[in-house]
Amino acid sequence: MQNFDYCTPTRLLFGKGVVSKLPEVLAPLGRKVLLTYGGGSIKKMGLYQKVKELLKDFEIVELSGIQPNPKYDPSVLDGVRLCKENGVEVILAVGGGSVLDCSKAIAAGACYDGDPWDLITGKVQTVKALPMVDILTLAATGSEYDTYGVISRTDTNDKIGYGHKLLYPVCSFLDPTYTFTVSKWQTAAGCADAMNHIMEQYFTGETTLMNDGFCESILKSLMVNGPKCLENPEDYTARAEMMFCCTLACNGIVAQGNSRSGWPCHGIEHALSGYYDITHGVGLAIITPHWMRYILSEKTLDRFVKYGVNVFGIDASLDKWEIAREAIDATAAFFASMGIPMTLREVGIDDSRIGEMARHIAETEGLEEAWVPLFEKDIAAILTASL
Ligand code: NZQ
Ligand code: ZN
């Protein structure tokens, strides 16, 4: 078991109606609030109106229109400008991972005199950030419980994940009823995203029995509850369990003491959504089984066998290679059963830029240090197999 340094300071307020505590959570952080949100889903579900009512004693500045795969220009730049112009003291992000991620970049950018891109790329270290609180409306990324933000830049096709301990939300409001209106597409994508977060931490060299159990249990829960959410979007119990699984899947708690895996599927997918603006969880679902097939070898076999037996209940007495292949096929079949298209062509990606993307990934994602190292030719092969 490896050494670790772990602290998640985020307060989680979970359950129906918790949002009523919003004023008491925000008050000690400041009265001048930047309210950030996306394209309007929070207005349709009445959450925007509810928040405005709860915050009637606060001064609110708004940044709306934050897009999926949030953009540095205009969203991050506009948010930073609004914070500086209005002396904003705290950010309230209401939405999915994209709104939260964008708000983290704004929180850091608002306390920096230069170009916020310097912070996102790590050229300049983040030393200060505004406090951020969020009300999550989509179970997927885990941004509500981690330090990461992923920001896209359309002029360069960059999609960069950056993180800093100052960017943990101070408090995340998790009311599963706010996810009732999430579309089938986004629900399935969210489930696949969280499952992949677990897989990225499970498929590595050194793990512990406890971490493996934690990971397997979250995967099993997502595979039960994801389809239930698709079947009945207002199934509170299923939405609630899915939400908490997603929250726990990305903040590292399931992998303390494990060796590093390099998060290869994320490294590859971020280029796909950077170049083609596709839904992150869908890109992951397409790539994951092909990455699995590509890295299956004597070195990785036992991990796949454990996964197949403990997650999919495959007969442990079968030949190991048979178990591993069956587990990979079952992974792909599960994603497909949720209605996710399982080829890149179906989401509008052909072979014309595979070479360029593979080079970009190899140069920027550090996948040569992954559990199974991936170089440009390996990345190109995985992308080609995913077509
Ligand atoms: O913009 P609005 O109108 O709000 O609509 C959104 C958006 O169109 C909609 N939506 C959200 N909540 C809804 C809803 N529609 C109806 N009812 C609701 N309650 O869903 C659409 C997608 O939203 P988005 O926030 O983009 O989805 P998600 O939460 O999956 O976030 C994806 C982004 O997070 C990044 C991804 O790369 C991607 O950019 N990630 C962030 C991570 C992190 N911070 O740790 C880790 C992840 O691996 C991931 O990379
Ligand atoms: Zn993800």
Side-chain angles (χ1 to χ4, degrees):
M1 187 159 170
Q2 313 229 331
N3 293 2
F4 61 84
D5 176 347
Y6 179 78
C7 170
T8 299
T10 304
R11 177 180 177 192
L12 298 180
L13 283 171
F14 188 97
K16 246 180 236 177
V18 288
V19 75
S20 63
K21 292 209 169 97
L22 187 59
E24 74 184 65
V25 167
L26 282 183
L29 303 171
R31 291 271 153 195
K32 287 190 183 170
V33 181
L34 177 72
L35 170 63
T36 56
Y37 54 98
S41 67
I42 67 161
K43 288 191 174 166
K44 275 192 216 133
M45 74 169 105
L47 179 55
Y48 171 83
Q49 295 80 346
K50 174 91 187 163
V51 166
K52 290 295 284 263
E53 202 180 290
L54 284 164
L55 300 187
K56 59 182 183 322
D57 297 330
F58 291 72
E59 222 176 286
I60 298 180
V61 181
E62 294 188 22
L63 175 72
S64 62
I66 296 172
Q67 294 169 2
N69 301 323
K71 312 295 182 281
Y72 159 76
D73 187 3
S75 297
V76 174
L77 292 177
D78 282 353
V80 168
R81 182 180 46 75
L82 286 171
C83 286
K84 289 182 175 172
E85 280 173 7
N86 296 282
V88 163
E89 293 165 304
V90 53
I91 300 178
L92 174 63
V94 186
S98 294
V99 174
L100 273 57
D101 284 7
C102 185
S103 303
K104 290 176 182 176
I106 295 169
C111 301
Y112 173 63
D113 285 337
D115 183 345
W117 193 248
D118 296 343
L119 305 171
I120 294 166
T121 53
K123 189 175 139 200
V124 172
Q125 271 301 306
T126 300
V127 288
K128 201 171 167 210
L130 291 178
M132 188 199 105
V133 169
D134 65 85
I135 304 173
L136 186 70
T137 65
L138 197 166
T141 63
S143 187
E144 68 277 14
Y145 206 40
D146 73 22
T147 58
Y148 297 104
V150 189
I151 302 297
S152 295
R153 191 165 174 155
T154 32
D155 53 343
T156 55
N157 297 316
D158 276 313
K159 181 171 181 185
I160 298 189
Y162 76 106
H164 192 280
K165 63 180 189 313
L166 288 168
L167 301 179
Y168 275 114
V170 174
C171 178
S172 292
F173 289 82
L174 309 176
D175 182 336
T177 64
Y178 295 146
T179 65
F180 284 177
T181 51
V182 175
S183 66
K184 282 191 189 312
W185 174 266
Q186 291 294 343
T187 300
C191 184
D193 186 20
M195 284 177 65
N196 189 268
H197 293 163
I198 294 294
M199 291 169 190
E200 298 275 39
Q201 297 166 92
Y202 185 85
F203 287 99
T204 189
E206 187 181 350
T207 66
T208 66
L209 199 54
M210 183 190 74
N211 288 345
D212 284 353
F214 210 166
C215 288
E216 289 158 4
S217 154
I218 291 178
L219 285 174
K220 285 195 276 193
S221 168
L222 286 166
M223 288 172 62
V224 168
N225 289 297
K228 281 189 183 173
C229 295
L230 292 180
E231 218 171 279
N232 176 8
E234 301 201 4
D235 179 337
Y236 180 82
T237 309
R239 286 286 195 191
E241 193 162 332
M242 176 165 163
M243 192 175 219
F244 197 37
C245 282
C246 293
T247 298
L248 293 180
C250 201
N251 91 333
I253 195 169
V254 301
Q256 295 308 314
N258 286 6
S259 57
R260 292 168 69 89
S261 77
W263 286 62
C265 294
H266 274 69
I268 297 174
E269 198 296 319
H270 281 166
L272 293 179
S273 42
Y275 276 70
Y276 290 93
D277 216 352
I278 64 167
T279 303
H280 171 63
V282 169
L284 286 173
I286 295 170
I287 293 163
T288 302
H290 296 288
W291 165 76
M292 287 177 159
R293 285 188 194 105
Y294 194 81
I295 67 152
L296 178 60
S297 68
E298 285 290 352
K299 168 181 164 174
T300 63
L301 182 60
D302 286 345
R303 278 274 89 196
F304 282 99
V305 170
K306 188 166 190 190
Y307 170 71
V309 171
N310 291 352
V311 177
F312 290 99
I314 299 171
D315 181 353
S317 67
L318 292 174
D319 170 69
K320 282 185 175 186
W321 289 91
E322 199 181 324
I323 296 172
R325 291 199 180 99
E326 207 178 299
I328 297 172
D329 290 347
T331 306
F334 175 74
F335 291 146
S337 76
M338 287 197 301
I340 298 179
M342 292 303 290
T343 64
L344 291 179
R345 287 191 201 281
E346 286 169 89
V347 294
I349 301 176
D350 60 18
D351 61 0
S352 59
R353 301 183 83 181
I354 282 191
E356 187 186 340
M357 287 194 290
R359 197 160 46 254
H360 183 90
I361 296 163
E363 282 168 5
T364 57
E365 297 289 341
L367 298 187
E368 69 281 3
E369 287 176 14
W371 176 42
V372 176
L374 298 177
F375 297 91
E376 188 178 329
K377 70 169 181 17
D378 307 303
I379 297 162
I382 293 168
L383 287 171
T384 303
S386 307
L387 283 169

